[in-house]
Amino acid sequence: MPKIPVRVVSWQEIVDWSYGLAERIIDSGYRVDVIIAIARGGLVPSRILADRLGVVDVISLKVEHWVQTASRNPEARIKYPYSVDLSGKNVLIVDDIADTGDSLILAKDYAKRNFNPKEIRTATLQVITQTTKYVPDYYYLEVKDWAWFMYPWNYWEDVINLVKKLKDSGVNIKNLEELKRAYVDSYGSHPPIDLNIIIDEMKRRGEF
Ligand code: ADP
């Protein structure tokens, strides 16, 4: 059975961490003109930061990574490339977490080459110092021991992927009690959505 540390993050934590991150940006004196949200992980933090910082212009870059829940893969690319003129603008690139750092490295390099901004800085809610190749200019929480953070905008996708991993390792997912035990044993936390509801959703999606 897989052993992956999973930590469930609440909506309230996301708001608190985003506000905390905003304070650090404010304290540094950096005046942000445009936020670039890395999709999808940076979308919610970007919107909260925009509100707190008073930023009207929020755009997005879709970084594609062949990442399945709780596994890591450094392959990253811009899925829908485009150009826009951001000359004279102070830009802030935002993501949820720097794990490998690949998404941020890629997005920063892409924005520099294609958007022509005055300055680019980067921000994430969390940074895993053990694994990242790149430390963002601003972050709120430093993670010492690697874990999979189950963000509230990803509950369904993550729990489904984690159940699939159990299935692949031979757990009988039709037996709900066995599934629940295996889930907690493998991931060290309880699923934020009942597993019987998850199974129904997997059936609806044709993934059961
Ligand atoms: P980066 O390290 O720049 O964030 P990754 O390719 O490692 O790039 O991660 C891409 C995305 O995958 C992250 O923005 C996040 O949404 C998700 N992700 C990666 N690692 C984790 C993790 N440990 N916990 C939760 N989500 C993660």
PDB file of all heavy atoms in Angstrom, residues 41 65 67 72-73 95-104 128 132 146-149 151, ligand 1:
ATOM      1  N   GLY A  41      -3.297  26.084  -9.698  1.00  0.00           N
ATOM      2  CA  GLY A  41      -3.018  26.223  -8.261  1.00  0.00           C
ATOM      3  C   GLY A  41      -2.956  27.658  -7.743  1.00  0.00           C
ATOM      4  O   GLY A  41      -3.265  27.916  -6.590  1.00  0.00           O
ATOM      5  N   HIS A  65       1.573  20.218 -16.105  1.00  0.00           N
ATOM      6  CA  HIS A  65       2.559  19.277 -15.578  1.00  0.00           C
ATOM      7  C   HIS A  65       1.892  17.924 -15.505  1.00  0.00           C
ATOM      8  O   HIS A  65       0.730  17.808 -15.170  1.00  0.00           O
ATOM      9  CB  HIS A  65       3.081  19.691 -14.213  1.00  0.00           C
ATOM     10  CG  HIS A  65       2.156  20.593 -13.484  1.00  0.00           C
ATOM     11  ND1 HIS A  65       2.497  21.862 -13.109  1.00  0.00           N
ATOM     12  CD2 HIS A  65       0.869  20.429 -13.124  1.00  0.00           C
ATOM     13  CE1 HIS A  65       1.462  22.423 -12.539  1.00  0.00           C
ATOM     14  NE2 HIS A  65       0.465  21.582 -12.528  1.00  0.00           N
ATOM     15  N   VAL A  67       1.468  15.761 -13.508  1.00  0.00           N
ATOM     16  CA  VAL A  67       1.498  15.381 -12.105  1.00  0.00           C
ATOM     17  C   VAL A  67       0.196  14.704 -11.718  1.00  0.00           C
ATOM     18  O   VAL A  67      -0.877  15.241 -11.949  1.00  0.00           O
ATOM     19  CB  VAL A  67       1.702  16.639 -11.213  1.00  0.00           C
ATOM     20  CG1 VAL A  67       1.317  16.359  -9.764  1.00  0.00           C
ATOM     21  CG2 VAL A  67       3.146  17.092 -11.266  1.00  0.00           C
ATOM     22  N   ARG A  72       5.457  13.258  -8.009  1.00  0.00           N
ATOM     23  CA  ARG A  72       6.114  14.443  -8.538  1.00  0.00           C
ATOM     24  C   ARG A  72       6.783  14.166  -9.872  1.00  0.00           C
ATOM     25  O   ARG A  72       7.322  13.097 -10.094  1.00  0.00           O
ATOM     26  CB  ARG A  72       7.160  14.954  -7.540  1.00  0.00           C
ATOM     27  CG  ARG A  72       6.509  15.722  -6.406  1.00  0.00           C
ATOM     28  CD  ARG A  72       7.492  15.948  -5.289  1.00  0.00           C
ATOM     29  NE  ARG A  72       7.715  14.709  -4.568  1.00  0.00           N
ATOM     30  CZ  ARG A  72       8.781  14.466  -3.826  1.00  0.00           C
ATOM     31  NH1 ARG A  72       9.720  15.350  -3.723  1.00  0.00           N
ATOM     32  NH2 ARG A  72       8.890  13.319  -3.190  1.00  0.00           N
ATOM     33  N   ASN A  73       6.715  15.148 -10.727  1.00  0.00           N
ATOM     34  CA  ASN A  73       7.317  15.017 -12.044  1.00  0.00           C
ATOM     35  C   ASN A  73       7.706  16.409 -12.511  1.00  0.00           C
ATOM     36  O   ASN A  73       6.865  17.288 -12.587  1.00  0.00           O
ATOM     37  CB  ASN A  73       6.279  14.386 -12.994  1.00  0.00           C
ATOM     38  CG  ASN A  73       6.862  14.090 -14.355  1.00  0.00           C
ATOM     39  OD1 ASN A  73       7.780  14.786 -14.817  1.00  0.00           O
ATOM     40  ND2 ASN A  73       6.345  13.084 -15.022  1.00  0.00           N
ATOM     41  N   ASP A  95       1.637  31.291  -7.223  1.00  0.00           N
ATOM     42  CA  ASP A  95       1.246  29.879  -7.256  1.00  0.00           C
ATOM     43  C   ASP A  95       0.938  29.421  -5.831  1.00  0.00           C
ATOM     44  O   ASP A  95       1.241  30.137  -4.873  1.00  0.00           O
ATOM     45  CB  ASP A  95       2.366  29.035  -7.880  1.00  0.00           C
ATOM     46  CG  ASP A  95       1.831  27.757  -8.535  1.00  0.00           C
ATOM     47  OD1 ASP A  95       0.635  27.452  -8.372  1.00  0.00           O
ATOM     48  OD2 ASP A  95       2.619  27.062  -9.204  1.00  0.00           O
ATOM     49  N   ASP A  96       0.342  28.242  -5.703  1.00  0.00           N
ATOM     50  CA  ASP A  96       0.020  27.748  -4.365  1.00  0.00           C
ATOM     51  C   ASP A  96       1.263  27.301  -3.609  1.00  0.00           C
ATOM     52  O   ASP A  96       1.495  27.677  -2.472  1.00  0.00           O
ATOM     53  CB  ASP A  96      -1.037  26.609  -4.421  1.00  0.00           C
ATOM     54  CG  ASP A  96      -0.748  25.561  -5.487  1.00  0.00           C
ATOM     55  OD1 ASP A  96       0.338  25.593  -6.110  1.00  0.00           O
ATOM     56  OD2 ASP A  96      -1.623  24.694  -5.716  1.00  0.00           O
ATOM     57  N   ILE A  97       2.086  26.474  -4.276  1.00  0.00           N
ATOM     58  CA  ILE A  97       3.229  25.889  -3.572  1.00  0.00           C
ATOM     59  C   ILE A  97       4.422  25.775  -4.507  1.00  0.00           C
ATOM     60  O   ILE A  97       4.244  25.540  -5.711  1.00  0.00           O
ATOM     61  CB  ILE A  97       2.849  24.498  -2.983  1.00  0.00           C
ATOM     62  CG1 ILE A  97       3.934  23.934  -2.068  1.00  0.00           C
ATOM     63  CG2 ILE A  97       2.488  23.500  -4.082  1.00  0.00           C
ATOM     64  CD1 ILE A  97       3.465  22.761  -1.207  1.00  0.00           C
ATOM     65  N   ALA A  98       5.618  25.989  -3.984  1.00  0.00           N
ATOM     66  CA  ALA A  98       6.827  25.667  -4.741  1.00  0.00           C
ATOM     67  C   ALA A  98       7.320  24.329  -4.217  1.00  0.00           C
ATOM     68  O   ALA A  98       7.758  24.237  -3.073  1.00  0.00           O
ATOM     69  CB  ALA A  98       7.888  26.741  -4.563  1.00  0.00           C
ATOM     70  N   ASP A  99       7.187  23.309  -5.033  1.00  0.00           N
ATOM     71  CA  ASP A  99       7.601  21.969  -4.629  1.00  0.00           C
ATOM     72  C   ASP A  99       8.898  21.632  -5.352  1.00  0.00           C
ATOM     73  O   ASP A  99       9.964  21.587  -4.754  1.00  0.00           O
ATOM     74  CB  ASP A  99       6.472  20.981  -4.949  1.00  0.00           C
ATOM     75  CG  ASP A  99       6.761  19.566  -4.464  1.00  0.00           C
ATOM     76  OD1 ASP A  99       7.934  19.197  -4.374  1.00  0.00           O
ATOM     77  OD2 ASP A  99       5.812  18.817  -4.192  1.00  0.00           O
ATOM     78  N   THR A 100       8.817  21.473  -6.674  1.00  0.00           N
ATOM     79  CA  THR A 100      10.057  21.356  -7.439  1.00  0.00           C
ATOM     80  C   THR A 100      10.583  22.751  -7.806  1.00  0.00           C
ATOM     81  O   THR A 100      11.762  22.936  -8.032  1.00  0.00           O
ATOM     82  CB  THR A 100       9.849  20.587  -8.752  1.00  0.00           C
ATOM     83  OG1 THR A 100       8.972  21.353  -9.597  1.00  0.00           O
ATOM     84  CG2 THR A 100       9.243  19.222  -8.506  1.00  0.00           C
ATOM     85  N   GLY A 101       9.646  23.698  -7.929  1.00  0.00           N
ATOM     86  CA  GLY A 101      10.006  25.040  -8.374  1.00  0.00           C
ATOM     87  C   GLY A 101       9.916  25.188  -9.884  1.00  0.00           C
ATOM     88  O   GLY A 101      10.037  26.292 -10.416  1.00  0.00           O
ATOM     89  N   ASP A 102       9.647  24.097 -10.586  1.00  0.00           N
ATOM     90  CA  ASP A 102       9.650  24.126 -12.054  1.00  0.00           C
ATOM     91  C   ASP A 102       8.603  25.069 -12.646  1.00  0.00           C
ATOM     92  O   ASP A 102       8.881  25.774 -13.611  1.00  0.00           O
ATOM     93  CB  ASP A 102       9.428  22.711 -12.613  1.00  0.00           C
ATOM     94  CG  ASP A 102      10.661  21.845 -12.472  1.00  0.00           C
ATOM     95  OD1 ASP A 102      11.780  22.406 -12.530  1.00  0.00           O
ATOM     96  OD2 ASP A 102      10.515  20.630 -12.286  1.00  0.00           O
ATOM     97  N   SER A 103       7.400  25.068 -12.074  1.00  0.00           N
ATOM     98  CA  SER A 103       6.337  25.921 -12.627  1.00  0.00           C
ATOM     99  C   SER A 103       6.733  27.391 -12.547  1.00  0.00           C
ATOM    100  O   SER A 103       6.522  28.157 -13.495  1.00  0.00           O
ATOM    101  CB  SER A 103       5.035  25.731 -11.855  1.00  0.00           C
ATOM    102  OG  SER A 103       4.695  24.384 -11.787  1.00  0.00           O
ATOM    103  N   LEU A 104       7.314  27.764 -11.417  1.00  0.00           N
ATOM    104  CA  LEU A 104       7.683  29.172 -11.227  1.00  0.00           C
ATOM    105  C   LEU A 104       8.847  29.564 -12.125  1.00  0.00           C
ATOM    106  O   LEU A 104       8.839  30.640 -12.727  1.00  0.00           O
ATOM    107  CB  LEU A 104       8.064  29.417  -9.769  1.00  0.00           C
ATOM    108  CG  LEU A 104       6.896  29.454  -8.784  1.00  0.00           C
ATOM    109  CD1 LEU A 104       7.421  29.393  -7.363  1.00  0.00           C
ATOM    110  CD2 LEU A 104       6.059  30.700  -8.978  1.00  0.00           C
ATOM    111  N   ILE A 128       8.458  24.171  -0.213  1.00  0.00           N
ATOM    112  CA  ILE A 128       9.073  22.978   0.374  1.00  0.00           C
ATOM    113  C   ILE A 128      10.576  23.099   0.151  1.00  0.00           C
ATOM    114  O   ILE A 128      11.080  22.844  -0.945  1.00  0.00           O
ATOM    115  CB  ILE A 128       8.517  21.673  -0.242  1.00  0.00           C
ATOM    116  CG1 ILE A 128       6.972  21.672  -0.206  1.00  0.00           C
ATOM    117  CG2 ILE A 128       9.075  20.462   0.527  1.00  0.00           C
ATOM    118  CD1 ILE A 128       6.328  20.374  -0.668  1.00  0.00           C
ATOM    119  N   THR A 132      12.616  22.131  -3.469  1.00  0.00           N
ATOM    120  CA  THR A 132      12.533  23.130  -4.540  1.00  0.00           C
ATOM    121  C   THR A 132      13.911  23.594  -5.028  1.00  0.00           C
ATOM    122  O   THR A 132      14.847  23.738  -4.235  1.00  0.00           O
ATOM    123  CB  THR A 132      11.661  24.338  -4.128  1.00  0.00           C
ATOM    124  OG1 THR A 132      11.356  25.096  -5.306  1.00  0.00           O
ATOM    125  CG2 THR A 132      12.356  25.238  -3.116  1.00  0.00           C
ATOM    126  N   TRP A 146       8.417  16.919   3.375  1.00  0.00           N
ATOM    127  CA  TRP A 146       7.528  16.851   2.220  1.00  0.00           C
ATOM    128  C   TRP A 146       6.187  16.201   2.590  1.00  0.00           C
ATOM    129  O   TRP A 146       6.134  15.183   3.282  1.00  0.00           O
ATOM    130  CB  TRP A 146       8.172  16.068   1.060  1.00  0.00           C
ATOM    131  CG  TRP A 146       7.341  16.181  -0.191  1.00  0.00           C
ATOM    132  CD1 TRP A 146       7.465  17.124  -1.169  1.00  0.00           C
ATOM    133  CD2 TRP A 146       6.250  15.340  -0.557  1.00  0.00           C
ATOM    134  NE1 TRP A 146       6.503  16.930  -2.125  1.00  0.00           N
ATOM    135  CE2 TRP A 146       5.741  15.844  -1.790  1.00  0.00           C
ATOM    136  CE3 TRP A 146       5.623  14.231   0.015  1.00  0.00           C
ATOM    137  CZ2 TRP A 146       4.663  15.277  -2.458  1.00  0.00           C
ATOM    138  CZ3 TRP A 146       4.529  13.658  -0.649  1.00  0.00           C
ATOM    139  CH2 TRP A 146       4.071  14.180  -1.871  1.00  0.00           C
ATOM    140  N   ALA A 147       5.120  16.791   2.121  1.00  0.00           N
ATOM    141  CA  ALA A 147       3.776  16.201   2.256  1.00  0.00           C
ATOM    142  C   ALA A 147       2.984  16.637   1.044  1.00  0.00           C
ATOM    143  O   ALA A 147       3.354  17.603   0.354  1.00  0.00           O
ATOM    144  CB  ALA A 147       3.092  16.689   3.531  1.00  0.00           C
ATOM    145  N   TRP A 148       1.890  15.898   0.787  1.00  0.00           N
ATOM    146  CA  TRP A 148       0.962  16.363  -0.231  1.00  0.00           C
ATOM    147  C   TRP A 148      -0.087  17.221   0.469  1.00  0.00           C
ATOM    148  O   TRP A 148      -0.770  16.765   1.377  1.00  0.00           O
ATOM    149  CB  TRP A 148       0.288  15.204  -0.970  1.00  0.00           C
ATOM    150  CG  TRP A 148      -0.601  15.730  -2.048  1.00  0.00           C
ATOM    151  CD1 TRP A 148      -1.951  15.954  -1.970  1.00  0.00           C
ATOM    152  CD2 TRP A 148      -0.192  16.169  -3.347  1.00  0.00           C
ATOM    153  NE1 TRP A 148      -2.404  16.514  -3.146  1.00  0.00           N
ATOM    154  CE2 TRP A 148      -1.349  16.650  -4.006  1.00  0.00           C
ATOM    155  CE3 TRP A 148       1.032  16.210  -4.032  1.00  0.00           C
ATOM    156  CZ2 TRP A 148      -1.321  17.162  -5.315  1.00  0.00           C
ATOM    157  CZ3 TRP A 148       1.055  16.716  -5.326  1.00  0.00           C
ATOM    158  CH2 TRP A 148      -0.103  17.180  -5.946  1.00  0.00           C
ATOM    159  N   PHE A 149      -0.193  18.489   0.066  1.00  0.00           N
ATOM    160  CA  PHE A 149      -1.175  19.392   0.657  1.00  0.00           C
ATOM    161  C   PHE A 149      -2.442  19.346  -0.168  1.00  0.00           C
ATOM    162  O   PHE A 149      -2.429  19.688  -1.367  1.00  0.00           O
ATOM    163  CB  PHE A 149      -0.605  20.807   0.763  1.00  0.00           C
ATOM    164  CG  PHE A 149       0.498  20.868   1.773  1.00  0.00           C
ATOM    165  CD1 PHE A 149       1.815  20.626   1.393  1.00  0.00           C
ATOM    166  CD2 PHE A 149       0.221  21.084   3.115  1.00  0.00           C
ATOM    167  CE1 PHE A 149       2.839  20.612   2.334  1.00  0.00           C
ATOM    168  CE2 PHE A 149       1.230  21.079   4.065  1.00  0.00           C
ATOM    169  CZ  PHE A 149       2.547  20.845   3.668  1.00  0.00           C
ATOM    170  N   TYR A 151      -5.394  20.969  -1.108  1.00  0.00           N
ATOM    171  CA  TYR A 151      -6.009  22.293  -1.054  1.00  0.00           C
ATOM    172  C   TYR A 151      -7.518  22.181  -1.294  1.00  0.00           C
ATOM    173  O   TYR A 151      -7.961  21.274  -2.011  1.00  0.00           O
ATOM    174  CB  TYR A 151      -5.368  23.209  -2.104  1.00  0.00           C
ATOM    175  CG  TYR A 151      -3.895  23.442  -1.854  1.00  0.00           C
ATOM    176  CD1 TYR A 151      -2.936  23.020  -2.762  1.00  0.00           C
ATOM    177  CD2 TYR A 151      -3.468  24.066  -0.687  1.00  0.00           C
ATOM    178  CE1 TYR A 151      -1.578  23.222  -2.526  1.00  0.00           C
ATOM    179  CE2 TYR A 151      -2.119  24.273  -0.438  1.00  0.00           C
ATOM    180  CZ  TYR A 151      -1.179  23.854  -1.363  1.00  0.00           C
ATOM    181  OH  TYR A 151       0.151  24.050  -1.124  1.00  0.00           O
TER     182      TYR A 151
HETATM  183  P1  ADP B   1       6.257  24.084  -8.461  1.00  0.00           P
HETATM  184  O1  ADP B   1       7.198  23.367  -7.555  1.00  0.00           O
HETATM  185  O2  ADP B   1       6.805  25.224  -9.180  1.00  0.00           O
HETATM  186  O3  ADP B   1       4.936  24.420  -7.809  1.00  0.00           O
HETATM  187  P2  ADP B   1       5.548  21.577  -9.450  1.00  0.00           P
HETATM  188  O4  ADP B   1       5.603  21.060 -10.852  1.00  0.00           O
HETATM  189  O5  ADP B   1       6.329  20.894  -8.405  1.00  0.00           O
HETATM  190  O6  ADP B   1       5.934  23.066  -9.590  1.00  0.00           O
HETATM  191  O7  ADP B   1       4.050  21.614  -8.961  1.00  0.00           O
HETATM  192  C1  ADP B   1       3.060  22.019  -9.818  1.00  0.00           C
HETATM  193  C2  ADP B   1       1.745  22.085  -9.099  1.00  0.00           C
HETATM  194  O8  ADP B   1       1.409  20.803  -8.560  1.00  0.00           O
HETATM  195  C3  ADP B   1       1.747  23.016  -7.899  1.00  0.00           C
HETATM  196  O9  ADP B   1       1.483  24.340  -8.273  1.00  0.00           O
HETATM  197  C4  ADP B   1       0.618  22.433  -7.075  1.00  0.00           C
HETATM  198  O10 ADP B   1      -0.633  22.848  -7.564  1.00  0.00           O
HETATM  199  C5  ADP B   1       0.799  20.957  -7.303  1.00  0.00           C
HETATM  200  N1  ADP B   1       1.684  20.413  -6.263  1.00  0.00           N
HETATM  201  C6  ADP B   1       2.985  20.077  -6.391  1.00  0.00           C
HETATM  202  N2  ADP B   1       3.482  19.602  -5.242  1.00  0.00           N
HETATM  203  C7  ADP B   1       2.471  19.645  -4.338  1.00  0.00           C
HETATM  204  C8  ADP B   1       2.348  19.289  -2.960  1.00  0.00           C
HETATM  205  N3  ADP B   1       3.378  18.805  -2.270  1.00  0.00           N
HETATM  206  N4  ADP B   1       1.150  19.471  -2.365  1.00  0.00           N
HETATM  207  C9  ADP B   1       0.096  19.963  -3.068  1.00  0.00           C
HETATM  208  N5  ADP B   1       0.143  20.323  -4.352  1.00  0.00           N
HETATM  209  C10 ADP B   1       1.325  20.164  -4.999  1.00  0.00           C
END
